[in-house]
């Protein structure tokens, strides 16, 4: 089976299983997508996966202009439905943990935000399951995150780690048909205006051919930015990253 067929089969299998790999990714981008997908029936989820594969295949074959993409999406009703749902108001449910921590640190911060935005129901709640309560919205210490993530990757793939810069680590490891290069970006101690905690991209030289840098989430047309990493889920996050990288290698490699 070629790469396109492997990716299509993976999306379908994940849809049939309820998207377990996506559910383990502590990302507000992923959480928004899953909120839309959870509104579909089981059969619709599988159909969505097939429709998304058609869109990804078309975009891979030839870059689509915005009008051409919009026209194609209009012919893929479940993709259109999910994309439309992803444009809904963010509320608190889809805020990164750093943003939530800043709000929680202010007097009446969370409650004031709910009142100001007139939020109710799930929109007024935390980004569960990664952050099950506002009290749990404590960002993981960057140094501990880096240590646990790199240890988990070395345990799974071996290889060598190179520090590229203060916020970028690179792992080079042998894979069955060649070599993998994995770049992992970590945020520093300063919260700043961004909610970034960790992002990653990987490429592989397989059978003498260099793959385009990508990430597991790209199979679902999502960015690989993890911003829901807390002191409580940091071990689970470190254990999950090797799983999605192995899945990407199985599909793309």
């Amino acid at each position: 089976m070629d790469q396109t067929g492997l990716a299509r089969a993976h999306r379908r299998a994940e849809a049939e299983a309820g998207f377990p790999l996506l559910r383990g990714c502590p990302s507000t981008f992923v959480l928004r997508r899953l909120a839309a997908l959870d509104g579909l029936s089981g059969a619709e989820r599988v159909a969505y996966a097939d429709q998304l594969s058609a869109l990804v295949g078309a975009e891979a074959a030839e870059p689509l202009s915005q009008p051409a993409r919009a026209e194609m999406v209009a012919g893929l009703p479940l993709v259109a439905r999910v994309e439309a749902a992803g444009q809904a108001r963010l509320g608190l449910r889809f805020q990164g943990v750093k943003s939530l921590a800043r709000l929680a640190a202010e007097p009446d911060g969370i409650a004031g935000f709910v009142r100001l935005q007139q939020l109710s129901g799930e929109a007024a709640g935390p980004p569960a399951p990664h952050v099950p309560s506002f009290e749990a919205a404590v960002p993981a210490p960057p140094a501990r995150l880096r240590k646990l993530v790199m240890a988990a990757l070395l345990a799974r793939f071996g290889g060598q780690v190179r520090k590229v810069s203060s916020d970028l680590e690179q792992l080079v490891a042998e894979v069955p048909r060649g070599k993998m290069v994995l770049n992992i970006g970590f945020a520093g101690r300063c919260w700043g205006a961004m909610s970034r905690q960790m992002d990653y991209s990987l490429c592989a030289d397989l059978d003498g051919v260099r793959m385009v840098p990508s990430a597991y989430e790209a199979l679902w047309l999502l960015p690989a930015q993890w911003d829901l990493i807390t002191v409580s889920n940091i071990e689970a996050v470190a254990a999950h990253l090797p799983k999605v990288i192995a899945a990407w290698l199985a599909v793309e490699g």
Side-chain angles (χ1 to χ4, degrees):
M1 188 181 298
D2 62 14
Q3 290 174 0
T4 300
L6 288 171
R8 183 184 299 111
H10 177 81
R11 292 189 192 95
R12 174 176 271 265
E14 280 287 299
E16 290 173 342
F19 308 102
L21 282 178
L22 276 180
R23 290 190 191 279
C25 298
S27 160
T28 52
F29 294 98
V30 171
L31 205 60
R32 292 180 70 180
R33 176 66 58 84
L34 288 171
L37 292 173
D38 285 343
L40 304 180
S41 68
E44 286 175 329
R45 291 177 182 179
V46 176
Y48 165 81
D50 290 342
Q51 290 181 19
L52 186 66
S53 291
L55 176 60
V56 173
E59 291 182 327
E62 181 179 356
L64 299 177
S65 65
Q66 282 295 104
R69 187 185 190 280
E71 181 179 358
M72 183 168 188
V73 169
L76 302 169
L78 291 172
V79 171
R81 179 174 162 186
V82 168
E83 288 194 356
Q87 296 171 4
R89 283 199 308 163
L90 292 180
L92 286 172
R93 185 185 180 192
F94 304 123
Q95 294 287 334
V97 67
K98 286 186 175 182
S99 297
L100 290 176
R102 284 193 291 269
L103 273 175
E106 299 174 1
D108 198 39
I110 296 293
F113 188 90
V114 169
R115 288 195 304 271
L116 180 65
Q117 298 294 324
Q118 298 182 322
L119 302 175
S120 62
E122 290 185 333
H130 302 292
V131 186
S133 68
F134 292 119
E135 291 74 21
V138 181
R144 178 163 170 74
L145 175 62
R146 184 188 299 247
K147 179 180 179 179
L148 289 179
V149 164
M150 299 314 298
L153 291 170
L154 284 169
R156 173 63 178 82
F157 300 106
Q160 296 182 331
V161 174
R162 182 169 73 94
K163 189 178 183 67
V164 179
S165 66
S166 61
D167 63 352
L168 182 63
E169 301 271 0
Q170 186 176 81
L171 173 68
V172 180
E174 298 297 321
V175 293
R177 292 166 46 209
K179 180 177 69 175
M180 171 185 75
V181 179
L182 172 62
N183 293 298
I184 310 176
F186 296 96
R189 289 181 175 273
C190 179
W191 284 2
M194 302 297 290
S195 62
R196 173 180 183 248
Q197 289 182 283
M198 188 182 81
D199 51 61
Y200 74 97
S201 68
L202 63 154
C203 62
D205 293 319
L206 303 175
D207 299 331
V209 178
R210 172 161 292 184
M211 310 295 292
V212 175
S214 187
Y216 175 75
E217 289 91 330
L219 292 171
W220 304 96
L221 298 184
L222 293 168
Q225 298 175 17
W226 291 13
D227 56 358
L228 293 171
I229 310 173
T230 71
V231 295
S232 299
N233 69 12
I234 186 172
E235 289 86 1
V237 168
H240 191 67
L241 183 59
K243 295 178 184 178
V244 296
I245 291 171
W248 184 89
L249 287 170
V251 170
E252 298 292 341

